[in-house]
Amino acid sequence: MANYRKIERILPPVPANWVGNGFKVHNFFPSGYRIHSMMSPFYLMDYNARIEFAPSDSPRGVDVHPHKGFETVTIAYHGKIAHADSAGNYGVIGEGGVQWMTAGSGLLHKEFHEESFQKEGGYFQMVQLWVNLPSKHKSVPPRYQDIGHEDKGIFTLEKDMGKCFVIAGEYKGVQGPAKTYSPIRMLDIRLKKGGKIEVPSNPHYNLGLLVLKGAIELNESENVPVDHFVLFKSTADNCDVLISAAEDAIVLYLEGEPIKEPLAQYGPFLMNTSEELEEAIREFQSGKYGHLE
Ligand code: MN
């Protein structure tokens, strides 16, 4: 039998909570499951499982709020999200699109359903990750990477049984477009029923994956249904992850080098010490993060 990476836990979605009035999310971590230290550099994962929104005349989303000390990565699978920030960036995350926003030294932003989508309604499914920044990069200037589905690296499986879209890092020599401040591999894996993909994981990196569509079999042993998250064990050996699609499936693969530093979090700020948190709150209250209508 192949040397497969061992699974720590297969986690069902915890009850959903609303973020503003636009995002009905299952917080897999850090609140839902206290696994964030085993998922570092990923600190938070909010998952809006596929739901249908009725047409609406009023905006749906989260109004102006600050962030500092990390990056928000938003991936849209269904529906469209419009956003704007106090660094002057704005845009629409379309289906399959990724917004990789570095809050860094601090900014304000807002996140809403895109207006025509809000008016027409329809299926909505998205993931937002908070990616921690190493202390030496916590105060980098804000940055915004708008990555369309067509911008991702593409590795096509044999017999066209699926595709591995590379958002960050690389897979079999195919590089993803996202620039990151610590080593991260983020893969949007889309398999046809019966398709298989083997991913060699780095034994020193943390690893988890989310099933967004269909169902998969992992490592020729464990079945994972839709909307479930898989946390893998830390390991000393090189090892592979084998994902087989029991039906047409979409999987988000998250791997990264852990940031082994103290953490201090309060609301939308993620720093290393409580002094830095207090400073972030003072900066926000004094208007240092700029202005956004
Ligand atoms: Mn936000």
Side-chain angles (χ1 to χ4, degrees), residues 19 62-63 65-67 70 72 74 101 107-111 128 130 268:
V19 178
V62 194
D63 214 339
H65 59 280
H67 289 298
F70 64 102
T72 62
T74 307
M101 186 193 79
L107 52 54
L108 308 175
H109 81 158
K110 57 183 180 180
E111 303 153 273
Q128 185 169 89
W130 289 13

Side-chain angles (χ1 to χ4, degrees), residues 27-63:
N27 179 266
F28 274 93
F29 54 91
S31 302
Y33 298 101
R34 302 293 293 169
I35 59 170
H36 53 287
S37 62
M38 298 175 74
M39 278 304 295
S40 173
F42 306 99
Y43 176 76
L44 174 149
M45 188 175 82
D46 272 344
Y47 171 49
N48 194 130
R50 197 181 82 140
I51 55 171
E52 192 169 5
F53 278 94
S56 169
D57 290 329
S58 50
R60 286 194 177 115
V62 194
D63 214 339

Side-chain angles (χ1 to χ4, degrees), residues 74-226:
T74 307
I75 309 167
Y77 289 88
H78 288 286
K80 293 177 182 172
I81 302 156
H83 62 89
D85 68 44
S86 57
N89 300 303
Y90 59 92
V92 172
I93 312 167
E95 298 206 347
V98 180
Q99 184 213 30
W100 199 297
M101 186 193 79
T102 307
S105 60
L107 52 54
L108 308 175
H109 81 158
K110 57 183 180 180
E111 303 153 273
F112 280 93
H113 291 200
E114 184 269 333
E115 196 176 350
S116 65
F117 174 75
Q118 164 218 309
K119 286 185 170 149
E120 287 162 27
Y123 285 116
F124 190 76
Q125 185 181 25
M126 55 80 71
V127 173
Q128 185 169 89
L129 298 154
W130 289 13
V131 178
N132 192 16
L133 287 168
S135 59
K136 64 179 174 193
H137 296 308
K138 276 213 178 287
S139 290
V140 293
R143 181 171 74 183
Y144 164 62
Q145 300 176 72
D146 180 11
I147 300 164
H149 190 55
E150 66 284 0
D151 300 323
K152 296 170 186 169
I154 302 176
F155 179 89
T156 303
L157 297 177
E158 266 178 47
K159 297 179 186 158
D160 200 27
M161 288 304 284
K163 288 187 165 60
C164 177
F165 296 94
V166 184
I167 300 169
E170 66 85 39
Y171 179 71
K172 296 205 170 170
V174 176
Q175 196 71 34
K179 297 188 200 84
T180 65
Y181 285 97
S182 65
I184 287 172
R185 175 150 63 172
M186 188 178 294
L187 307 175
D188 171 10
I189 297 169
R190 301 183 182 221
L191 300 175
K192 292 181 183 166
K193 181 179 178 177
K196 290 180 184 193
I197 185 170
E198 200 164 70
V199 187
S201 71
N202 184 321
H204 306 292
Y205 290 4
N206 287 328
L207 176 63
L209 58 82
L210 176 68
V211 179
L212 291 112
K213 181 185 174 188
I216 60 168
E217 186 195 63
L218 267 182
N219 300 346
E220 299 181 296
S221 60
E222 298 282 345
N223 294 306
V224 187
V226 71

Side-chain angles (χ1 to χ4, degrees), residues 1-3 159 292:
M1 191 166 149
N3 181 26
K159 297 179 186 158
L292 184 66

